[in-house]
Amino acid sequence: MAMFTPSPRGADNFACFHSHSQKTSLSPPRTTPPLLFFNNKLHHSQLHSFPSLKFRVLCSIKEKENLKETDKVTNGVLTGLRVNDLDQSGSGPEESGSGKVGSDWDWPPWQNIPERYKLIGTTSLAFVICNMDKVNLSIAIIPMSHQFGWNSSVAGLVQSSFFWGYALSQLPGGWLAKIFGGRKVLEIGVLTWSLATALVPLLAGFMPGLILSRILVGIGEGVSPSAATDLIARTIPLEERSRAVGFVFGGLSVGSVAGLLLAPPIIQNIGWGSVFYIFGLLGLAWFLGFQFLKEGNASFTAEPISWSPSTSRTQTENSSLRELGGSLKEVPWKSFFQSQAVWAMTYTHFCGSWGHYTCLSWLPTYFSEELNLNLTEAAWVSILPPLASIFVTSIAAQVADQLIANGVETTTVRKICQSIAFLSPAICMTLSSLDLGLPPWEIVGLLTGGLALSSFALSGLYCTHQDISPEYASILLGITNTVGAVPGIVGVALTGYLLDSTHSWSISLFAPSIFFYLSGTLVWLVFASSKPQTFSETD
């Protein structure tokens, strides 16, 4: 028990006693505890003459731990203390001689935030940087093509190389997240894609090196969704999961908006290479800050989902390569693909990615060529769907969590959210495809609203991996996201081929997306489930 008494000379002089007893007396103990006098003329008779005082204390946790070891007491010892001000009004819960200290000065201000909220916040910030590094090339490719004399085929090859790494890293990322924990995999992923982003200007004149750098960006970003899924599954309870997933993956929409807003002026004023250096440095700063956050939270005890001894992260981190290989064999791959729910998630993920990636790549061109908007207008209009998605995501997450908290079956909530996510853009694309004589800005509004409502998928599909198996959530997302990356490679190129062949945006861009949205909704409603599954080989 730590007790403090100010000296008569003022707030700068005080005494600090440590007592092994539980008594409330302010008398110094008879033993020889750590005793610190800033005024050695303070007499014992003066200790009872002061009214109730309120102290603000700043104490180092590390110092407490060191004194615990030296004194071998259970109560702990507070040293390195500083009195900042005195409240001599006598009001408050502290009574004179009670031995209690009021500690109302918290610094840093975020120290009392629960650890899981800190992790979710920093993970969402990582996803903001993730999409900033994804969209920067789509803008920088124009001056790069002019400088190096690239035609459209070469420019398309450079942009599509990102998805090669993105698709290849999904399953390995899910497995690594399960073995080492999503937290560690996420920080390595951010470091990888940030360094690779910063290397783009240096390798732009050497095509193999440039493509390799973009593949590395894809690999770093490809492991991140599975890492985040594992982190959420380990630390977030079911009734908060929709909001956590929405907040984390909603960072992608924020990143798209930020990248599209920041990249053009940076490129125009400093040069196209600067956007890669600046965005890459942001990722490196996040990585360093994440290390500081981990050190600061070392004394906290999280409340993760309990895992069986065979899946203990501590054991696997210290295991040999042979044991790691064995853990990969222990993954119930056969049971995964015998589950209708997993097949439903996989096909649904493919359908959603088709609409997302093709619109992300071709909508600016559609706005410019079909709606006759100039380049500036097309650029600003392209920001509207991800900007609206940020708003929709927060609403969808709140609604989903509230329904679950009120007792609605989790599977029902996920089916409702995913159906909204698919049917809304399908209807809006259908209306945009028909010759209804709508003015350009009404078509822009329809597409923006439909694509924004597709963010309900974050409370539908993207929560289901954690719902059915928190233990294998990262691997399940790796499976579905691998298939979901295929439209980034095939769908974008096929849209361009159909456009050259038919010269129809309705057939090339909207018709395939509408088909996948409708078929995905049907499969999801019939086969999807959020009921927990063990995926044991005997099932």
Side-chain angles (χ1 to χ4, degrees):
M1 176 173 63
M3 292 168 288
F4 308 90
T5 305
S7 103
R9 296 184 180 182
D12 292 334
N13 299 323
F14 67 92
C16 175
F17 299 102
H18 173 78
S19 176
H20 295 275
S21 68
Q22 301 296 325
K23 297 179 180 180
T24 58
S25 172
L26 291 176
S27 301
R30 297 178 181 178
T31 57
T32 309
L35 181 62
L36 176 64
F37 280 100
F38 279 66
N39 183 355
N40 54 14
K41 295 182 180 181
L42 184 65
H43 297 289
H44 176 67
S45 61
Q46 295 174 304
L47 296 179
H48 299 281
S49 62
F50 289 90
S52 174
L53 302 177
K54 183 178 181 181
F55 299 89
R56 293 183 177 179
V57 180
L58 177 66
C59 180
S60 169
I61 295 176
K62 183 176 181 181
E63 290 173 341
K64 287 198 300 182
E65 293 175 349
N66 291 338
L67 286 175
K68 283 181 182 179
E69 295 177 359
T70 56
D71 292 345
K72 296 182 179 179
V73 295
T74 60
N75 290 345
V77 181
L78 302 177
T79 65
L81 304 171
R82 184 176 69 198
V83 174
N84 294 311
D85 62 4
L86 299 176
D87 181 7
Q88 299 187 14
S89 63
S91 61
E94 294 82 12
E95 297 295 332
S96 179
S98 65
K100 296 182 181 180
V101 179
S103 177
D104 57 355
W105 181 27
D106 295 330
W107 188 261
W110 56 82
Q111 70 174 355
N112 291 328
I113 298 176
E115 184 183 17
R116 67 182 188 275
Y117 295 158
K118 297 179 184 178
L119 291 176
I120 294 303
T122 52
T123 303
S124 181
L125 181 59
F127 276 45
V128 172
I129 301 173
C130 172
N131 257 26
M132 290 176 67
D133 289 337
K134 184 184 296 183
V135 303
N136 58 6
L137 183 62
S138 64
I139 300 173
I141 197 69
I142 299 174
M144 292 173 69
S145 299
H146 291 163
Q147 177 176 338
F148 297 105
W150 296 340
N151 56 28
S152 298
S153 298
V154 175
L157 176 66
V158 173
Q159 293 194 78
S160 65
S161 60
F162 167 88
F163 291 99
W164 303 352
Y166 190 80
L168 291 173
S169 60
Q170 295 300 317
L171 278 175
W175 172 66
L176 291 173
K178 179 182 181 297
I179 297 299
F180 298 105
R183 187 170 180 166
K184 178 168 292 186
V185 173
L186 177 64
E187 65 183 55
I188 297 302
V190 174
L191 179 63
T192 300
W193 91 56
S194 299
L195 291 175
T197 296
L199 288 175
V200 168
L202 303 177
L203 301 173
F206 180 59
M207 185 58 63
L210 176 61
I211 291 178
L212 178 61
S213 68
R214 290 301 294 178
I215 291 175
L216 289 175
V217 174
I219 290 175
E221 295 194 9
V223 302
S224 300
S226 295
T229 299
D230 177 85
L231 189 150
I232 293 171
R234 290 177 185 265
T235 59
I236 304 300
L238 175 62
E239 60 272 14
E240 298 179 7
R241 192 165 294 160
S242 298
R243 280 169 288 176
V245 172
F247 188 75
V248 169
F249 285 90
L252 295 174
S253 297
V254 177
S256 296
V257 173
L260 292 172
L261 287 176
L262 295 176
I266 291 176
I267 293 174
Q268 183 178 1
N269 295 311
I270 311 178
W272 65 263
S274 60
V275 75
F276 295 101
Y277 291 133
I278 293 174
F279 287 9
L281 287 175
L282 288 177
L284 294 178
W286 182 95
F287 175 81
L288 295 176
F290 197 61
Q291 305 306 307
F292 176 78
L293 175 65
K294 290 176 62 177
E295 293 177 1
N297 286 330
S299 62
F300 290 114
T301 302
E303 298 179 357
I305 298 172
S306 59
W307 305 93
S308 61
S310 62
T311 59
S312 172
R313 190 193 321 179
T314 303
Q315 292 179 0
T316 53
E317 285 181 350
N318 298 325
S319 62
S320 63
L321 291 177
R322 185 177 62 181
E323 290 171 330
L324 289 177
S327 66
L328 179 61
K329 295 179 180 178
E330 292 175 0
V331 175
W333 301 103
K334 182 179 178 181
S335 295
F336 288 160
F337 295 106
Q338 289 177 339
S339 170
Q340 290 183 347
V342 172
W343 281 106
M345 289 192 301
T346 303
Y347 182 70
T348 303
H349 205 143
F350 177 89
C351 295
S353 294
W354 187 285
H356 175 72
Y357 290 139
T358 54
C359 288
L360 184 68
S361 301
W362 289 103
L363 271 185
T365 306
Y366 169 80
F367 291 145
S368 177
E369 295 184 359
E370 184 69 10
L371 303 185
N372 297 319
L373 303 180
N374 60 44
L375 292 179
T376 302
E377 292 172 337
W380 281 99
V381 167
S382 300
I383 298 175
L384 295 179
L387 190 61
S389 296
I390 299 172
F391 176 72
V392 172
T393 297
S394 61
I395 296 178
Q398 294 284 350
V399 170
D401 281 343
Q402 188 64 37
L403 289 174
I404 293 175
N406 290 337
V408 180
E409 188 178 0
T410 305
T411 298
T412 302
V413 174
R414 304 307 182 206
K415 288 186 175 182
I416 292 173
C417 291
Q418 192 60 40
S419 298
I420 295 174
F422 275 6
L423 294 178
S424 298
I427 294 173
C428 292
M429 287 182 180
T430 301
L431 295 176
S432 300
S433 301
L434 300 176
D435 188 9
L436 301 178
L438 298 176
W441 292 106
E442 290 188 13
I443 296 178
V444 169
L446 278 173
L447 294 175
T448 298
L451 293 175
L453 289 172
S454 67
S455 297
F456 266 85
L458 296 180
S459 299
L461 167 67
Y462 284 86
C463 288
T464 309
H465 305 80
Q466 299 98 301
D467 293 340
I468 66 174
S469 179
E471 180 179 358
Y472 294 110
S474 60
I475 296 181
L476 290 172
L477 183 63
I479 294 172
T480 65
N481 221 11
T482 298
V483 179
V486 173
I489 302 172
V490 177
V492 174
L494 180 60
T495 301
Y497 173 78
L498 291 175
L499 184 62
D500 288 336
S501 303
T502 65
H503 302 285
S504 171
W505 285 100
S506 298
I507 296 176
S508 59
L509 178 60
F510 295 134
S513 297
I514 293 171
F515 168 78
F516 286 119
Y517 279 139
L518 295 179
S519 61
T521 301
L522 180 62
V523 170
W524 184 259
L525 291 176
V526 174
F527 299 107
S529 174
S530 291
K531 294 182 179 179
Q533 302 183 29
T534 58
F535 291 115
S536 62
E537 295 294 348
T538 58
D539 288 348

